[in-house]
PDB file of all heavy atoms in Angstrom:
ATOM      1  N   ASP B  94       8.040  63.872  -5.644  1.00 79.00           N
ATOM      2  CA  ASP B  94       7.554  62.996  -6.687  1.00 79.00           C
ATOM      3  C   ASP B  94       7.634  63.753  -8.011  1.00 79.00           C
ATOM      4  O   ASP B  94       6.725  64.480  -8.354  1.00 79.00           O
ATOM      5  CB  ASP B  94       6.120  62.621  -6.344  1.00 79.00           C
ATOM      6  CG  ASP B  94       5.592  61.558  -7.269  1.00 79.00           C
ATOM      7  OD1 ASP B  94       6.396  60.997  -8.025  1.00 79.00           O
ATOM      8  OD2 ASP B  94       4.397  61.293  -7.211  1.00 79.00           O
ATOM      9  N   THR B  95       8.744  63.612  -8.753  1.00 79.00           N
ATOM     10  CA  THR B  95       8.872  64.360  -9.995  1.00 79.00           C
ATOM     11  C   THR B  95       8.181  63.604 -11.115  1.00 79.00           C
ATOM     12  O   THR B  95       8.304  62.400 -11.240  1.00 79.00           O
ATOM     13  CB  THR B  95      10.339  64.532 -10.366  1.00 79.00           C
ATOM     14  OG1 THR B  95      10.916  63.229 -10.437  1.00 79.00           O
ATOM     15  CG2 THR B  95      11.072  65.342  -9.345  1.00 79.00           C
ATOM     16  N   VAL B  96       7.491  64.371 -11.928  1.00 80.00           N
ATOM     17  CA  VAL B  96       6.842  63.798 -13.109  1.00 80.00           C
ATOM     18  C   VAL B  96       7.492  64.438 -14.311  1.00 80.00           C
ATOM     19  O   VAL B  96       7.559  65.661 -14.384  1.00 80.00           O
ATOM     20  CB  VAL B  96       5.325  64.104 -13.111  1.00 80.00           C
ATOM     21  CG1 VAL B  96       4.691  63.588 -14.360  1.00 80.00           C
ATOM     22  CG2 VAL B  96       4.694  63.485 -11.884  1.00 80.00           C
ATOM     23  N   PRO B  97       8.033  63.663 -15.255  1.00 79.00           N
ATOM     24  CA  PRO B  97       8.711  64.297 -16.371  1.00 79.00           C
ATOM     25  C   PRO B  97       7.727  65.065 -17.257  1.00 79.00           C
ATOM     26  O   PRO B  97       6.556  64.718 -17.340  1.00 79.00           O
ATOM     27  CB  PRO B  97       9.331  63.133 -17.135  1.00 79.00           C
ATOM     28  CG  PRO B  97       8.549  61.962 -16.731  1.00 79.00           C
ATOM     29  CD  PRO B  97       8.093  62.217 -15.334  1.00 79.00           C
ATOM     30  N   ALA B  98       8.243  66.109 -17.907  1.00 75.00           N
ATOM     31  CA  ALA B  98       7.404  66.907 -18.795  1.00 75.00           C
ATOM     32  C   ALA B  98       6.980  66.044 -19.973  1.00 75.00           C
ATOM     33  O   ALA B  98       7.781  65.296 -20.516  1.00 75.00           O
ATOM     34  CB  ALA B  98       8.170  68.137 -19.261  1.00 75.00           C
ATOM     35  N   ALA B 100       4.953  63.625 -19.950  1.00 74.00           N
ATOM     36  CA  ALA B 100       4.513  62.275 -19.624  1.00 74.00           C
ATOM     37  C   ALA B 100       3.004  62.213 -19.602  1.00 74.00           C
ATOM     38  O   ALA B 100       2.327  63.192 -19.351  1.00 74.00           O
ATOM     39  CB  ALA B 100       5.065  61.887 -18.268  1.00 74.00           C
ATOM     40  N   LYS B 102      -0.023  61.627 -17.899  1.00 81.00           N
ATOM     41  CA  LYS B 102      -0.180  61.611 -16.444  1.00 81.00           C
ATOM     42  C   LYS B 102      -1.004  60.464 -15.909  1.00 81.00           C
ATOM     43  O   LYS B 102      -0.645  59.851 -14.926  1.00 81.00           O
ATOM     44  CB  LYS B 102      -0.803  62.933 -15.982  1.00 81.00           C
ATOM     45  CG  LYS B 102       0.075  64.113 -16.133  1.00 81.00           C
ATOM     46  CD  LYS B 102       0.067  64.970 -14.891  1.00 81.00           C
ATOM     47  CE  LYS B 102       1.093  66.083 -14.960  1.00 81.00           C
ATOM     48  NZ  LYS B 102       1.421  66.559 -16.270  1.00 81.00           N
ATOM     49  N   PHE B 105       0.883  57.220 -16.299  1.00 87.00           N
ATOM     50  CA  PHE B 105       2.087  57.277 -15.480  1.00 87.00           C
ATOM     51  C   PHE B 105       1.784  57.010 -14.020  1.00 87.00           C
ATOM     52  O   PHE B 105       2.538  56.326 -13.333  1.00 87.00           O
ATOM     53  CB  PHE B 105       2.694  58.678 -15.649  1.00 87.00           C
ATOM     54  CG  PHE B 105       4.031  58.845 -15.015  1.00 87.00           C
ATOM     55  CD1 PHE B 105       5.164  58.385 -15.653  1.00 87.00           C
ATOM     56  CD2 PHE B 105       4.179  59.485 -13.793  1.00 87.00           C
ATOM     57  CE1 PHE B 105       6.403  58.549 -15.082  1.00 87.00           C
ATOM     58  CE2 PHE B 105       5.408  59.651 -13.223  1.00 87.00           C
ATOM     59  CZ  PHE B 105       6.527  59.185 -13.870  1.00 87.00           C
ATOM     60  N   ASN B 106       0.674  57.554 -13.522  1.00 87.00           N
ATOM     61  CA  ASN B 106       0.359  57.354 -12.111  1.00 87.00           C
ATOM     62  C   ASN B 106      -0.241  55.989 -11.843  1.00 87.00           C
ATOM     63  O   ASN B 106      -0.126  55.460 -10.744  1.00 87.00           O
ATOM     64  CB  ASN B 106      -0.608  58.439 -11.645  1.00 87.00           C
ATOM     65  CG  ASN B 106       0.069  59.780 -11.556  1.00 87.00           C
ATOM     66  OD1 ASN B 106       1.252  59.835 -11.340  1.00 87.00           O
ATOM     67  ND2 ASN B 106      -0.696  60.835 -11.753  1.00 87.00           N
ATOM     68  N   GLU B 254      11.996  57.028 -14.746  1.00 76.00           N
ATOM     69  CA  GLU B 254      11.456  58.345 -14.441  1.00 76.00           C
ATOM     70  C   GLU B 254      10.657  58.386 -13.162  1.00 76.00           C
ATOM     71  O   GLU B 254      10.079  59.414 -12.829  1.00 76.00           O
ATOM     72  CB  GLU B 254      10.558  58.803 -15.609  1.00 76.00           C
ATOM     73  CG  GLU B 254      11.311  59.059 -16.865  1.00 76.00           C
ATOM     74  CD  GLU B 254      12.070  60.368 -16.816  1.00 76.00           C
ATOM     75  OE1 GLU B 254      11.959  61.077 -15.802  1.00 76.00           O
ATOM     76  OE2 GLU B 254      12.767  60.660 -17.769  1.00 76.00           O
ATOM     77  N   SER B 256      10.066  58.323  -9.111  1.00 76.00           N
ATOM     78  CA  SER B 256      10.801  58.634  -7.904  1.00 76.00           C
ATOM     79  C   SER B 256       9.906  58.367  -6.718  1.00 76.00           C
ATOM     80  O   SER B 256       8.720  58.146  -6.866  1.00 76.00           O
ATOM     81  CB  SER B 256      11.231  60.095  -7.920  1.00 76.00           C
ATOM     82  OG  SER B 256      10.086  60.887  -8.082  1.00 76.00           O
ATOM     83  N   LYS B 259       6.419  55.818  -5.876  1.00 85.00           N
ATOM     84  CA  LYS B 259       6.020  55.062  -7.071  1.00 85.00           C
ATOM     85  C   LYS B 259       7.128  54.084  -7.445  1.00 85.00           C
ATOM     86  O   LYS B 259       6.884  52.941  -7.831  1.00 85.00           O
ATOM     87  CB  LYS B 259       5.756  56.016  -8.209  1.00 85.00           C
ATOM     88  CG  LYS B 259       4.578  56.891  -7.939  1.00 85.00           C
ATOM     89  CD  LYS B 259       4.167  57.636  -9.179  1.00 85.00           C
ATOM     90  CE  LYS B 259       3.113  58.639  -8.815  1.00 85.00           C
ATOM     91  NZ  LYS B 259       3.308  59.901  -9.496  1.00 85.00           N
TER      92      LYS B 259
ATOM     93  N   LYS C  38      14.141  69.772 -13.229  1.00 68.00           N
ATOM     94  CA  LYS C  38      13.698  68.500 -12.653  1.00 68.00           C
ATOM     95  C   LYS C  38      12.721  67.797 -13.544  1.00 68.00           C
ATOM     96  O   LYS C  38      12.609  66.573 -13.530  1.00 68.00           O
ATOM     97  CB  LYS C  38      13.053  68.766 -11.284  1.00 68.00           C
ATOM     98  CG  LYS C  38      14.027  68.711 -10.139  1.00 68.00           C
ATOM     99  CD  LYS C  38      13.307  68.494  -8.837  1.00 68.00           C
ATOM    100  CE  LYS C  38      12.968  69.828  -8.224  1.00 68.00           C
ATOM    101  NZ  LYS C  38      12.503  69.671  -6.842  1.00 68.00           N
ATOM    102  N   SER C  39      11.990  68.564 -14.374  1.00 67.00           N
ATOM    103  CA  SER C  39      10.964  67.912 -15.182  1.00 67.00           C
ATOM    104  C   SER C  39      11.507  67.412 -16.508  1.00 67.00           C
ATOM    105  O   SER C  39      10.755  66.886 -17.312  1.00 67.00           O
ATOM    106  CB  SER C  39       9.821  68.873 -15.485  1.00 67.00           C
ATOM    107  OG  SER C  39       9.325  69.395 -14.288  1.00 67.00           O
ATOM    108  N   GLU C  40      12.817  67.605 -16.729  1.00 66.00           N
ATOM    109  CA  GLU C  40      13.339  67.172 -18.018  1.00 66.00           C
ATOM    110  C   GLU C  40      13.443  65.653 -18.032  1.00 66.00           C
ATOM    111  O   GLU C  40      13.643  65.026 -17.013  1.00 66.00           O
ATOM    112  CB  GLU C  40      14.714  67.772 -18.237  1.00 66.00           C
ATOM    113  CG  GLU C  40      14.654  69.105 -18.907  1.00 66.00           C
ATOM    114  CD  GLU C  40      16.043  69.684 -19.056  1.00 66.00           C
ATOM    115  OE1 GLU C  40      16.996  68.955 -18.767  1.00 66.00           O
ATOM    116  OE2 GLU C  40      16.148  70.845 -19.442  1.00 66.00           O
TER     117      GLU C  40
END
Side-chain angles (χ1 to χ4, degrees):
Chain B
D94 188 10
T95 57
V96 176
K102 291 225 173 29
F105 187 80
N106 290 331
E254 292 285 357
S256 56
K259 295 191 188 139
Chain C
K38 271 199 269 191
S39 306
E40 271 178 8

